[in-house]
Amino acid sequence: MREIITLQLGGCGNRIGGSFWETIGVEHSIDHLGKYCGDSDLELDKIDVFYNETAGGKYLPRAALIDMEPTVLEEIQAGQLGQFFNPDSYICGHAGAGNNWAKGYYGDGRNLIEPILDVIRQEMESCDRHQGFQICHSIGGGTGSGLGSLLFPYLRDEYPDSLEENLSIFP
């Protein structure tokens, strides 16, 4: 199977990612706790592209949820998708970028690069044949644009054969 890792950057990227996981969960009959609730083999066909299956039969999204300030990630954790993601998939700073590209690129975003790459490495270890990254982010703002601009060269250097699909929101 060809696996894809989803990277959700910033408030916008995490909201888009949340909608993506809700939609794909319906398509594959995966509930908000990661349990399969369907009755058709077609729903499980290619489920490994976006999900890791645990030993207990739970499906966890192959994803990293990244933000420079905790508000949106806390909303996700408190919402109906809170139990859905691997707790190690959340990467959060404390200062926020304040819609400032430079803070994401030159400032506090640099402190998050190693934790982000560590989560990506963990996700890569669960892949048999990694195909690429699906990246959800905004072009305006601080985390999605600034930290995203900082992260993309690292991804190309460490995973040169991986595809990158960007779901970019323009202000």
Side-chain angles (χ1 to χ4, degrees):
M1 190 56 55
R2 303 289 283 178
E3 297 96 352
I4 295 173
I5 297 172
T6 301
L7 305 177
Q8 301 171 197
L9 296 167
C12 181
N14 278 294
R15 287 186 176 98
I16 293 168
S19 294
F20 168 77
W21 290 111
E22 287 177 3
T23 301
I24 199 168
V26 169
E27 290 178 6
H28 289 285
S29 294
I30 304 295
D31 69 11
H32 290 110
L33 298 175
K35 296 290 184 186
Y36 174 67
C37 302
D39 56 8
S40 171
D41 290 340
L42 289 175
E43 293 169 333
L44 293 175
D45 188 38
K46 308 230 185 303
I47 196 166
D48 293 341
V49 171
F50 288 106
Y51 291 97
N52 288 316
E53 185 176 7
T54 66
K58 183 177 177 180
Y59 291 94
L60 294 175
R62 191 176 287 112
L65 292 77
I66 304 158
D67 205 343
M68 289 180 57
E69 62 100 15
T71 306
V72 173
L73 296 182
E74 288 172 352
E75 288 174 12
I76 292 171
Q77 288 174 318
Q80 61 182 354
L81 290 177
Q83 302 279 325
F84 189 51
F85 296 99
N86 181 342
D88 296 334
S89 297
Y90 294 93
I91 303 148
C92 183
H94 300 288
N99 289 325
N100 185 337
W101 180 89
K103 284 186 80 173
Y105 190 85
Y106 293 110
D108 297 329
R110 293 198 177 271
N111 298 331
L112 295 178
I113 287 296
E114 280 307 313
I116 292 168
L117 294 175
D118 287 343
V119 168
I120 292 171
R121 283 184 203 107
Q122 290 172 358
E123 291 293 343
M124 291 290 282
E125 289 173 5
S126 70
C127 294
D128 291 327
R129 294 187 322 162
H130 178 253
Q131 182 171 0
F133 298 99
Q134 173 177 276
I135 304 165
C136 307
H137 68 109
S138 173
I139 297 298
T143 303
S145 61
L147 180 57
S149 298
L150 180 63
L151 177 62
F152 296 157
Y154 284 93
L155 293 177
R156 282 190 293 277
D157 287 346
E158 293 210 23
Y159 310 104
D161 296 330
S162 294
L163 300 173
E164 289 181 17
E165 175 191 25
N166 283 282
L167 307 173
S168 303
I169 300 299
F170 292 87

